Amino acid sequence: MAENEQKALQLIAEAEKKLTSSKGFLSSLFGGSSKVEDAVECYQRAANLFKMSKKWSEAGNAFCQAANLHAKAGSKHDSATNYIDAANCYKKSDASEAVNCLLKAVEIYTDMGRFTMAAKHHQNIAEIYENEAADLDRAVHHYELASDYFRGEESNSSANKCLLKVAQYAAHLENYEKAIQIYEQVAVSSLESSLLKYSAKEYFLRAALCHLCIDILNAQHAIERYQEQCPAFQDARECKLIKVLIENLEEQNAEGFTEAVKEYDSISRLDQWFTSILLRIKKQINDNPDLR
């Protein structure tokens, strides 16, 4: 057994001994609380030694023990900090335990009125479901919660970042109406900022593509609205792309559709989301003999 791991186990045993000895009546009168504090320190030191040995579950367990003791002692901030430490360890070994620890931290921060911290950790939970657990429904749920908390604290940029994730996965799950609502909301919000207004064109493009997944008429009406809301959109490459795609869809011209996408992609690289949505739209040409 590695030296650090052995030292960590000795510290765990020492912490448990201190806790046992602090339960007696005399101990509670003379130094009981200090023994609990010593036990917390032992758990934390053990956790760090486990981390050095890459024993991630054991490190997470030790941090959780420290967090539980802080919670019982009424040290909310310290308890939340240790739950987050535990979550960071569990991320490397057990995604569900990482989520459980972050939820406990969120509950503490919410109770303390620290909603920005709660938002950040809802975002962290969403990222775990997004990447490690591959559960998009739960990822969307926690991105929405994070956005709500950020918005309540006037952190609108962070709120929009989370909302865009919700829109991305809503479209992926074919909930186009929800994706459209979010992309339009963020686009209009961006127009109000001198720094963000240029990104509005991309969000209008994403919304328009979601409209095209529903039907052509929807997209045509949307384009008209977007041009009224953002006059600069009328001459933008994003707007021209949508108009050409609509034209090729109406003419059942799959080759023209592909060429329009290639031309746009040669200047502005399209990410995986765009590729997936555009393939769904193009499929309509083969699946529907008459799109008019």
Side-chain angles (χ1 to χ4, degrees):
M1 185 180 291
E3 183 180 353
N4 285 333
E5 188 178 351
Q6 182 64 46
K7 288 180 180 177
L9 291 172
Q10 290 172 355
L11 285 166
I12 296 291
E14 186 179 339
E16 291 172 351
K17 184 177 179 181
K18 288 180 181 296
L19 290 174
T20 302
S21 65
S22 70
K23 291 178 181 177
F25 175 71
L26 291 176
S27 294
S28 65
L29 290 176
F30 305 103
S33 60
S34 65
K35 289 185 178 182
V36 172
E37 291 170 3
D38 290 344
V40 168
E41 184 181 350
C42 287
Y43 280 127
Q44 291 172 333
R45 288 171 58 198
N48 287 322
L49 287 167
F50 279 132
K51 283 174 67 176
M52 292 170 67
S53 301
K54 292 183 169 56
K55 295 290 183 179
W56 303 114
S57 291
E58 289 85 349
N61 291 341
F63 276 128
C64 276
Q65 292 285 3
N68 291 336
L69 290 175
H70 277 309
K72 289 177 181 177
S75 303
K76 291 183 178 181
H77 174 76
D78 291 331
S79 179
T81 299
N82 280 153
Y83 278 130
I84 293 162
D85 290 335
N88 289 333
C89 294
Y90 284 131
K91 280 181 186 179
K92 299 178 182 357
S93 61
D94 190 335
S96 63
E97 281 301 318
V99 168
N100 288 338
C101 289
L102 287 172
L103 285 173
K104 290 176 181 177
V106 165
E107 184 177 353
I108 292 170
Y109 284 130
T110 303
D111 187 55
M112 294 172 68
R114 299 189 62 184
F115 298 111
T116 297
M117 293 297 292
K120 288 178 180 177
H121 294 302
H122 271 302
Q123 188 175 352
N124 289 339
I125 293 169
E127 289 168 358
I128 291 173
Y129 281 126
E130 180 181 13
N131 300 315
E132 279 84 12
D135 188 332
L136 293 186
D137 286 325
R138 289 187 178 181
V140 165
H141 173 66
H142 285 282
Y143 274 127
E144 287 181 315
L145 289 173
S147 176
D148 287 343
Y149 280 125
F150 277 130
R151 190 82 64 194
E153 296 299 292
E154 300 296 326
S155 298
N156 293 326
S157 177
S158 296
N160 285 342
K161 182 180 177 181
C162 292
L163 270 184
L164 289 171
K165 279 288 191 178
V166 174
Q168 174 187 335
Y169 289 121
H172 177 79
L173 297 168
E174 299 186 17
N175 188 349
Y176 300 118
E177 294 288 355
K178 183 171 186 173
I180 289 166
Q181 180 185 3
I182 292 171
Y183 283 131
E184 290 181 347
Q185 174 186 334
V186 176
V188 171
S189 173
S190 298
L191 290 173
E192 297 172 357
S193 167
S194 58
L195 294 175
L196 301 175
K197 64 181 181 182
Y198 298 104
S199 60
K201 292 182 289 186
E202 179 190 333
Y203 304 140
F204 281 135
L205 172 61
R206 289 176 182 264
L209 290 176
C210 290
H211 275 295
L212 274 180
C213 288
I214 301 172
D215 65 53
I216 291 176
L217 190 59
N218 257 359
Q220 289 173 326
H221 289 163
I223 285 291
E224 292 172 3
R225 290 201 316 275
Y226 302 160
Q227 290 175 148
E228 290 176 2
Q229 291 171 305
C230 178
F233 185 67
Q234 183 170 352
D235 297 320
R237 294 183 63 252
E238 292 82 356
C239 184
K240 291 176 181 177
L241 173 64
I242 291 295
K243 289 179 179 178
V244 172
L245 293 183
I246 290 173
E247 182 180 330
N248 283 290
L249 284 169
E250 289 180 328
E251 294 175 357
Q252 296 283 279
N253 184 354
E255 185 177 342
F257 186 100
T258 301
E259 284 303 312
V261 172
K262 282 184 178 179
E263 182 182 348
Y264 185 91
D265 184 58
S266 67
I267 299 173
S268 303
R269 294 295 296 176
L270 295 168
D271 63 23
Q272 187 177 355
W273 184 91
F274 279 113
T275 302
S276 174
I277 295 296
L278 286 163
L279 284 172
R280 292 183 195 179
I281 296 168
K282 184 181 176 182
K283 192 171 180 286
Q284 296 176 30
I285 295 176
N286 298 323
D287 292 349
N288 301 305
D290 187 1
L291 287 167
R292 293 178 186 274

